[in-house]
Amino acid sequence: MRYSIVLTAVLASLGLASDVHDLKEDTLQGFVEEHDLSLIEFFAPWCGHCKALAPEYESAATTLKEKKIPLAKVDCTEEQELCKKYGVEGYPTLKVFRGEENIVPYTGQRKADAIVSYMTKQSLPAVSDVTKDSIDEFKTADKVVLVAYFAADDKASNETFTSVANGLRDNYLFGATNDAALAKAEGVKQPALVLYKSFDEGKDTHTKAFEKEAIESFIKVASTPLVGEVGPETYSGYMAAGIPLAYIFAEEQEERDSLSKALKPLAEKYKGKINFATIDAKAFGQHAGNLNLEVGKWPAFAIQKTDKNQKYPYDQTKSITEKDVGSFIEDFVNDKIQPSIKSEPIPESNDGPVTVVVAHEYEKLVIDNDKDVLLEFYAPWCGHCKALAPKYEELGALYSSSKLSKLVTVAKVDATVNDVPDEIQGFPTIKLFPAGKKDSPVEYSGARTVEDLAAFIEENGTHKVKAAIEAVKEAAEEIAEEIPEQAAAASEKAADAAEAATDAAKDAAETVADKAEDVTESVKSAASEATESAKSAASDVRDEL
C-alpha cells in the first residue's frame, strides 16, 4: 500500500489519469444517484491537510475502484454554493453518500488503508453471512474481523450479536454462521465469538456470557495490540479506551521494537487493564512533557490514567527493563505511587471576579463544593483566549455579589502549566461543572459573549442562577445620563460662588487687606463645596455599579 501511495502521488504530479472523480454543481447529483455508495471530499487547493490527504485518497480510490466504490472530490474555491449546500465549514470535509438523501460524515482516519477499510465496511451489511467457502477470505478481509457461531434457532444470540454489529460497524467487520461443522473446525462450540486479527496471536475467543456488554468489552480489549503505537491515527482511540496507557518513548524504530519485545510479557500480564504502546520520540517527543517527563532524555516510560488525565512518569535515570518497569507497574496498580502533578503556586489572593485555579487547588475550587463552576481552560499564547479575557472578567463580575458568589464561580486555569483531569484538545475550552453533577461537566460551544455565557450557566447549572445583565446595562445607561447633569450643576455652583466672591471684593475695596482673607476663604469654601458635590456624584456612580 505504501508503494501505491508514492506511485499515485507521482502520477498526480504528472497530471496523469486519476481514479478520483472531479465533481461540480451540475455533475454531483447525477454521480450520487448513479452509485449506491460513494465517498466525496470537499477541499481547497491551498489547504495543507488536503494536500497531505491527496496521495492517500488517490491510493484508496484505486483500491476501492475494484470494489465498485467510487471516490470523488469537490473544489470548494470553485464550487462555493455547492459546498455551502452540504454544510462544509472546514477542509477537508469527507462525506459518505448513499444517494442524495442519505449523507453522513466520514469518521475514519485519513490514511489509504483506513479509508479502504472504512468504505469496505460501509458496503457490507452489518453482519455478513459466512460459509465454509468464504470464511478464509472473510477472516483476512480487515485487520480485525469478528465471526459469531450460533445455531439457526438461537434467536437470542443472533439478536445480541446483530445489535453489537450495528453499533460498531464503522470500526469492525462482522460475520456470522450457523454451520455447526464450521464452528467445530474453528475449534469452538456454539454459541461462540472469535475475533480474528492480523497481529499478535492471530485470534481471540470470547469465553464469557454471550451478552451485549460483555461482547463489547471483549472486542475493545482483544482488538488492541499488546504493544501498539501511539500516533495521530491511534491517539484518540487510546484516550477513549477507558484504561491506563503505558507509553514507551524512543527515537529509533529499532529501539522501539527492542523495548516492545522486552515489555511484551508485561503487556500480556496486564492485558485489558493497561494498554501498552510505543511512541516515536523524534516526531512526538514534546508529548513527554505533557506526561511530566524530561523531553530529550530517551528512552523513557510513563503511565497515564486516561480517564482522570493523571501522569505517572518512570524515573528516567533507571533502565527500562521488564524487571524494573514491572515493579513500577505493580506499585501503580496497587496505588503505592502518587501521580505527578504539575502546578503553578497557589495565588496569595484570589479576590478578582474570575477565580484563578491551579492544579493543587483544582479539586477544592472546581469539584469539592456546591457551586456551579464555569471553568475556562486557556493558554497564554492563545489569541482567542486573549480576546475572550475582558468579556470573561465582565462575566465574572455579574456573579461577584455576596449572594450570587455562593452559587456560581467563574474561573480559569492555565492548562499549559497545570495538570487538569480533562484532556484538553484546544483553547479556549470552557466547561460548566454543575453542583451535584461534577462528574458530568457540560462543554460550552456557543458564541463567546457575556450574554450567551450567562444564559449557558443559567440553563445548565444546578442553581439556575439568572445574571442581572439587563439591570446592569440600565443602571450604566442611567449613570451615563446623570454624570453630565451632576457635573454641570457642580460647575454652576462654583461659578455662582466665584461671582459672589468678586462682588464682595469690590464692596470691600477700602479694607482690601482685611477683607482679602475673607474673600479667599469664601472662594475656597465655595470651590470646596462644588468639589465635594462632584465627588459625591462620582461616588454614587461607583456604588450603583
Side-chain angles (χ1 to χ4, degrees):
M1 180 66 77
R2 189 55 46 192
Y3 292 111
S4 175
I5 292 172
V6 174
L7 178 60
T8 52
V10 172
L11 293 176
S13 68
L14 295 174
L16 301 180
S18 167
D19 289 320
V20 177
H21 301 262
D22 279 302
L23 300 180
K24 299 186 180 299
E25 188 168 9
D26 59 349
T27 59
L28 187 145
Q29 184 172 348
F31 177 83
V32 298
E33 288 177 352
E34 181 184 349
H35 301 97
D36 294 333
L37 175 68
S38 60
L39 178 65
I40 300 179
E41 175 200 5
F42 298 86
F43 77 102
W46 47 258
C47 163
H49 292 297
C50 302
K51 292 176 182 178
L53 172 62
E56 304 282 350
Y57 199 65
E58 186 70 50
S59 178
T62 301
T63 303
L64 289 170
K65 182 180 179 180
E66 301 172 3
K67 300 184 179 184
K68 294 182 171 53
I69 304 174
L71 270 59
K73 61 184 180 181
V74 175
D75 184 343
C76 290
T77 63
E78 296 181 356
E79 303 292 337
Q80 295 181 18
E81 290 302 316
L82 183 61
C83 294
K84 184 177 179 181
K85 174 183 176 181
Y86 290 105
V88 176
E89 296 181 348
Y91 308 119
T93 292
L94 289 88
K95 292 180 181 285
V96 178
F97 283 73
R98 287 187 173 87
E100 177 66 16
E101 301 302 322
N102 189 349
I103 307 168
V104 296
Y106 170 83
T107 58
Q109 299 166 9
R110 296 175 185 172
K111 294 293 183 181
D113 289 343
I115 294 170
V116 170
S117 175
Y118 187 94
M119 294 306 295
T120 300
K121 298 182 186 79
Q122 298 299 312
S123 69
L124 298 173
V127 179
S128 300
D129 290 325
V130 176
T131 66
K132 64 179 181 179
D133 296 325
S134 66
I135 189 162
D136 287 338
E137 181 181 354
F138 188 77
K139 287 191 301 184
T140 58
D142 206 359
K143 289 183 178 179
V144 175
V145 175
L146 293 113
V147 178
Y149 302 85
F150 44 73
D153 59 353
D154 188 351
K155 293 184 178 180
S157 295
N158 191 353
E159 290 176 359
T160 297
F161 186 66
T162 300
S163 176
V164 172
N166 281 327
L168 299 175
R169 64 175 299 171
D170 288 350
N171 302 316
Y172 310 104
L173 282 181
F174 291 85
T177 179
N178 54 34
D179 187 338
L182 187 54
K184 184 177 181 181
E186 291 295 315
V188 295
K189 183 178 179 182
Q190 299 173 326
L193 174 62
V194 179
L195 183 146
Y196 300 94
K197 50 191 175 181
S198 60
F199 49 87
D200 293 342
E201 62 274 29
K203 72 175 185 178
D204 267 322
T205 302
H206 177 59
T207 58
K208 296 183 179 179
F210 211 87
E211 299 172 353
K212 186 173 185 291
E213 194 171 300
I215 291 174
E216 290 174 341
S217 177
F218 161 74
I219 294 173
K220 182 182 289 188
V221 173
S223 64
T224 304
L226 280 173
V227 183
E229 183 176 3
V230 174
E233 294 80 30
T234 60
Y235 180 75
S236 60
Y238 279 119
M239 290 301 103
I243 60 175
L245 173 61
Y247 295 83
I248 306 166
F249 284 87
E251 290 188 304
E252 303 300 333
Q253 183 64 55
E254 184 178 352
E255 186 174 24
R256 291 196 295 276
D257 290 342
S258 175
L259 291 171
S260 174
K261 183 178 180 180
L263 300 183
K264 189 173 182 179
L266 297 175
E268 291 174 339
K269 179 179 179 180
Y270 294 101
K271 183 178 179 179
K273 297 178 181 178
I274 301 174
N275 282 327
F276 285 71
T278 61
I279 180 168
D280 184 346
K282 279 186 178 178
F284 310 113
Q286 290 302 315
H287 187 60
N290 298 330
L291 301 169
N292 298 345
L293 287 166
E294 182 182 339
V295 176
K297 196 171 184 178
W298 316 120
F301 181 88
I303 301 175
Q304 178 184 13
K305 279 189 177 180
T306 57
D307 57 340
K308 297 181 179 179
N309 197 27
Q310 292 178 335
K311 297 88 178 273
Y312 298 79
Y314 177 74
D315 188 344
Q316 288 175 269
T317 64
K318 292 184 177 180
S319 299
I320 297 178
T321 64
E322 179 187 349
K323 180 180 178 181
D324 290 341
V325 172
S327 297
F328 176 76
I329 295 176
E330 187 173 350
D331 287 343
F332 166 79
V333 171
N334 294 323
D335 294 325
K336 291 184 177 180
I337 53 177
Q338 295 297 313
S340 169
I341 298 177
K342 180 171 58 179
S343 176
E344 290 182 290
I346 296 174
E348 293 183 5
S349 62
N350 214 345
D351 302 325
V354 175
T355 299
V356 177
V357 175
V358 299
H360 288 318
E361 284 196 311
Y362 187 92
E363 292 293 322
K364 172 187 173 183
L365 297 177
V366 180
I367 306 300
D368 296 336
N369 56 63
D370 296 322
K371 296 182 181 183
D372 294 330
V373 180
L374 186 74
L375 182 62
E376 176 202 4
F377 301 85
Y378 75 96
W381 44 259
C382 164
H384 293 298
C385 303
K386 293 176 182 177
L388 174 63
K391 299 175 187 176
Y392 206 64
E393 290 282 327
E394 185 179 341
L395 177 72
L398 294 177
Y399 304 95
S400 60
S401 69
S402 58
K403 179 181 179 181
L404 297 188
S405 63
K406 293 178 181 178
L407 302 174
V408 175
T409 293
V410 176
K412 64 180 180 180
V413 59
D414 182 348
T416 67
V417 290
N418 291 283
D419 284 335
V420 293
D422 298 67
E423 186 73 19
I424 304 303
Q425 302 296 331
F427 300 110
T429 292
I430 301 172
K431 294 186 179 185
L432 180 69
F433 294 79
K437 296 180 287 185
K438 301 288 188 172
D439 58 343
S440 302
V442 185
E443 186 164 346
Y444 181 72
S445 58
R448 296 180 189 135
T449 66
V450 176
E451 293 82 2
D452 288 330
L453 285 163
F456 176 73
I457 293 173
E458 179 184 356
E459 180 180 347
N460 296 281
T462 299
H463 298 302
K464 305 298 178 185
V465 174
K466 184 177 180 65
I469 297 178
E470 292 305 319
V472 171
K473 282 185 176 179
E474 290 173 6
E477 289 172 0
E478 290 176 5
I479 291 165
E481 292 174 359
E482 290 174 4
I483 287 175
E485 295 175 4
Q486 292 168 340
S491 298
E492 185 178 347
K493 196 168 185 179
D496 290 344
E499 185 178 352
T502 302
D503 291 341
K506 288 179 179 179
D507 293 341
E510 295 179 0
T511 55
V512 173
D514 293 337
K515 296 296 183 179
E517 184 177 347
D518 294 337
V519 173
T520 302
E521 290 302 320
S522 176
V523 174
K524 285 183 178 179
S525 177
S528 176
E529 187 176 347
T531 301
E532 289 302 318
S533 176
K535 285 183 178 179
S536 177
S539 177
D540 290 342
V541 172
R542 286 196 299 271
D543 291 343
E544 288 186 45
L545 283 173

